Amino acid sequence: VAILAKHYGIPFYVLGPTTTIDRKAMTGEDIKIELRDPEEIKTMWYEKPMAPMGVKTYNPAFDVTDNELITAIVTEKGIVKFFIC
């Protein structure tokens, strides 16, 4: 979505609490992505299973968007804008 927004000149905002901003991370490679229980996307929230038994799943808690695609992060304390040097 961020790539499409950039292509069409549409600002792209990320919403999140300030606790998710790691000022020590120099690049997205420095961010550890938590992997959640596969059952969250297969059975946990559903009346019937959403995937066949034994299917492998990948359930990251979040993804990392290239900072060049983000206009700003909206937090509970205000807006954090990105400036690319």
Side-chain angles (χ1 to χ4, degrees):
V1 173
I3 293 169
L4 286 171
K6 180 77 167 186
H7 178 78
Y8 288 103
I10 300 168
F12 184 82
Y13 295 90
V14 173
L15 306 176
T18 54
T19 57
T20 63
I21 300 171
D22 183 353
R23 303 178 112 219
K24 294 178 186 170
M26 296 305 292
T27 73
E29 297 291 323
D30 298 327
I31 300 170
K32 181 171 174 21
I33 299 176
E34 169 196 351
L35 292 180
R36 294 191 174 163
D37 183 348
E39 293 307 312
E40 283 187 9
I41 56 177
K42 296 193 305 187
T43 61
M44 186 179 283
W45 309 110
Y46 309 104
E47 190 175 307
K48 297 184 279 187
M50 294 275 108
M53 291 278 292
V55 72
K56 292 182 180 181
T57 61
Y58 178 65
N59 188 15
F62 59 91
D63 64 358
V64 178
T65 300
D66 189 320
N67 68 330
E68 292 180 359
L69 302 175
I70 299 172
T71 304
I73 300 175
V74 180
T75 75
E76 79 280 6
K77 294 184 179 181
I79 298 173
V80 179
K81 292 187 178 185
F82 286 90
F83 299 96
I84 300 171
C85 301

